[in-house]
Amino acid sequence: ESHMTSKGLAEGKFLWVPNGVDRMDIPAAGVVENDFVRHVRSLQEQGTFVVIYAGAHGEPNALEGLVRSASILAGRGANVRLILVGKGERKEQLKAIAAQEGSGLVEFFEQQPKEMVMAALKLASAGYISLKSEPIFRFGVSPNKLWDYMLVGLPVIFACKAGNDPVGDYGCGVSADPDDAQSIAAAIAQLLPMSESERQTMGRRGHEAVLQDYTYEKLAQRVIRSLADGEAR
């Protein structure tokens, strides 16, 4: 708002409307399943800590830090699997880094239907999101995948340098430096020793926050109230 008013916008005329979620995107357990979902379920049943990144594999997504964190975690003997699902121009390079470092902890999957991704997220241990540092992010970010992770009650590793940190604000995960593999490994290691109950409590905070503030219904109501207030003035 301060930026917009500095450019001439009248005070009280700014409204921030972030990306949102459809609460109906949460699939019922076992209703939708394919090989990808079954694989995540198998890892979960084996007691593996599964971190999922679901989204574009491009330059803005800054995924090299996550891939390189695997060798650090492997050196500590962590029972972790980092799963990257999606497509993008950096995917082959990321695969090459994973192969070169040879940790065996990174897996890549092709883009999946939304319902399959949501089903897999429900089975995962944590969701990962990162963005390349950009000056414009000083105004804040609201990535769709962040709200998806929170919607299914998944603890989040938030690797973004931005003017806001919803994960920290809502206490639904941990934060990391997107460009620092050590920082990312430390964030994952912070979640690892938690009990299932502790992680569920953390994820529940995110779930409740999304339902409170980020469903399309709530965002629409925010717009309507703002327009009504403007007319009243």
Side-chain angles (χ1 to χ4, degrees), residues 30-42 85 109-120 123:
V31 172
V32 293
E33 199 161 282
N34 63 2
D35 289 344
F36 168 61
V37 178
R38 282 189 285 272
H39 178 67
V40 175
R41 184 187 301 279
S42 175
V85 53
F109 283 83
E110 295 305 312
Q111 190 174 31
Q112 303 287 317
K114 176 69 175 285
E115 62 269 20
M116 298 301 172
V117 171
M118 299 300 284
L123 298 168

Side-chain angles (χ1 to χ4, degrees), residues 99-113:
Q100 182 180 23
E101 299 197 351
S103 70
L105 301 185
V106 186
E107 297 182 358
F108 294 88
F109 283 83
E110 295 305 312
Q111 190 174 31
Q112 303 287 317

Side-chain angles (χ1 to χ4, degrees), residues 86-109:
K87 63 181 181 179
E89 72 276 8
R90 294 269 292 175
K91 185 162 187 169
E92 293 307 312
Q93 185 175 358
L94 293 168
K95 284 183 175 181
I97 294 171
Q100 182 180 23
E101 299 197 351
S103 70
L105 301 185
V106 186
E107 297 182 358
F108 294 88
F109 283 83

